[in-house]
Amino acid sequence: MNVLLVIAAPDLMKERQQWLESLAGERRLADNTLEAYERDTRQFLAFLTAHLGAPPGVNDIAELRPADLRAFLAARRREGSGARSLGRHLAGLRSFLRHMERKGLVNAAGAGAIRSPKQPKSLPKPLTGNQAISVVQADSQLSDEPWIAARNAAVLTLLYGCGLRISEALDLTPKAFDGKGNTLRVTGKGRKTRIVPLLPVVNETVESYVRLCPYHLDPDGPLFRGARGGRLQPAIIQREMQRLRSALGLPNSATPHALRHSFATHLLSGGGDLRTIQELLGHASLSTTQVYTAVDAARLLDVYEKAHPRA
């Protein structure tokens, strides 16, 4: 017999649902972020049910103390959550509490008093220029099916040639390439659109895939198809990249997303303007893009240490 776990009273579940709907509709958060916030708050309410001895309601949330929130974060840490996950947990809870505060139901000051976990400093790990080129070449693809090899090359070329996220590449439609010339309109996080330059080699690689694809490609349907004709899933490209790592002798950091990092890093080292790179990547904040200056500085220092006679 299946047992349905009640994690909150109806009034609190109603507020949570309204909050999630507002995030999707008004703030237009990315689907991945929405899923994470839904999961985080579900885990929090399940924790409170055990912590308080009964499913919490709005009144229980109004009486929360910082110590209760810290207890939840401590429990998540014991279960293996790292600093980044804990920071996201706290960000989601703050957003949920602010939603109820705006309606006069709770005071969210307690959540604001908790300091976010210190995030580990990690730099993106781009590929070298030669490594990135070897990955995206059609001849490097390992599939025996010519159209699938052409498809994989096209997707990977979009990541490196245009700096797209894998989800952005797989959301493209044939119409995006129809008569648009040298630019590509991309829908990114938060459903925000941006225009990126479309290099001739990228266009040619996509056209090669379209010519070979055995399925009818509706102008408004998904451009990239799986082996059976459905929408191509990110896991397929991630698995192909894993195979390429082994075949080409690349490090474990060589992932599809590393091609996007490589796009930004190579533009910067070639003299690209940081603000322009921010726009091309679709970053909301320049501080997110500035991490690539540290990557470039680290690369230059490595070259210096290997090449300078006095190093």
Side-chain angles (χ1 to χ4, degrees):
M1 182 178 66
N2 293 328
V3 178
L4 180 63
L5 177 64
V6 178
I7 59 171
D11 61 342
L12 185 54
M13 291 299 286
K14 179 181 177 181
E15 292 300 330
R16 177 174 174 269
Q17 183 60 34
Q18 290 178 355
W19 166 67
L20 290 170
E21 290 173 356
S22 72
L23 294 180
E26 298 170 17
R27 295 183 56 189
R28 301 197 307 175
L29 291 189
D31 290 342
N32 288 346
T33 304
L34 286 172
E35 290 173 6
Y37 278 6
E38 189 282 330
R39 183 173 59 251
D40 292 344
T41 50
R42 176 163 29 91
Q43 291 170 344
F44 176 62
L45 295 179
F47 166 81
L48 280 185
T49 297
H51 188 63
L52 301 175
V58 170
N59 289 339
D60 295 303
I61 298 297
E63 295 175 2
L64 281 181
R65 300 166 300 164
D68 298 315
L69 297 175
R70 291 193 184 97
F72 168 66
L73 295 177
R76 296 304 303 159
R77 184 182 292 278
R78 287 193 299 271
E79 293 174 10
S81 291
R84 293 187 187 281
S85 295
L86 293 175
R88 192 197 64 232
H89 292 331
L90 188 55
L93 292 177
R94 284 171 174 163
S95 175
F96 182 33
L97 292 173
R98 283 196 298 268
H99 162 81
M100 289 193 288
E101 185 178 52
R102 285 191 292 270
K103 300 175 74 170
L105 299 174
V106 306
N107 185 337
I114 299 177
R115 184 173 299 177
S116 296
K118 188 174 182 179
Q119 301 296 320
K121 291 184 178 180
S122 60
L123 295 178
K125 296 178 180 178
L127 283 67
T128 67
N130 288 336
Q131 288 173 337
I133 291 172
S134 69
V135 164
V136 303
Q137 285 180 334
D139 291 344
S140 299
Q141 307 310 310
L142 302 175
S143 175
D144 294 330
E145 285 281 354
W147 80 269
I148 291 181
R151 178 202 68 189
N152 295 345
V155 174
L156 296 173
T157 299
L158 281 163
L159 306 188
Y160 180 52
C162 298
L164 304 193
R165 302 175 177 92
I166 189 170
S167 60
E168 294 170 344
L170 299 189
D171 281 344
L172 291 172
T173 65
K175 184 188 290 185
F177 294 88
D178 185 18
K180 297 297 189 297
N182 58 0
T183 61
L184 181 66
R185 181 179 293 273
V186 180
T187 301
K189 286 187 174 182
R191 302 174 196 163
K192 295 178 181 177
T193 61
R194 65 185 189 277
I195 303 296
V196 299
L198 188 60
L199 300 174
V201 67
V202 179
N203 217 355
E204 291 166 8
T205 307
V206 172
E207 288 175 354
S208 177
Y209 154 69
V210 171
R211 284 196 304 271
L212 293 171
C213 182
Y215 298 106
H216 171 71
L217 299 176
D218 186 271
D220 294 309
L223 171 62
F224 294 110
R225 301 299 182 90
R228 297 183 179 179
R231 179 186 292 270
L232 181 62
Q233 298 301 310
I236 301 298
I237 297 301
Q238 290 162 350
R239 186 167 66 240
E240 288 302 312
M241 190 70 176
Q242 187 175 10
R243 294 176 65 202
L244 282 171
R245 281 204 305 266
S246 177
L248 300 175
L250 301 178
N252 290 336
S253 59
T255 63
H257 201 66
L259 290 172
R260 174 172 156 90
H261 292 323
S262 305
F263 165 84
T265 305
H266 298 166
L267 280 182
L268 185 63
S269 62
D273 173 73
L274 197 61
R275 182 69 70 176
T276 300
I277 295 173
Q278 175 196 358
E279 294 175 359
L280 293 176
L281 292 173
H283 284 164
S285 170
L286 184 62
S287 62
T288 307
T289 314
Q290 284 175 329
V291 69
Y292 293 106
T293 62
V295 174
D296 196 45
R299 183 190 63 82
L300 290 174
L301 181 59
D302 183 56
V303 170
Y304 176 87
E305 290 177 341
K306 290 178 179 177
H308 197 283
R310 300 300 299 274

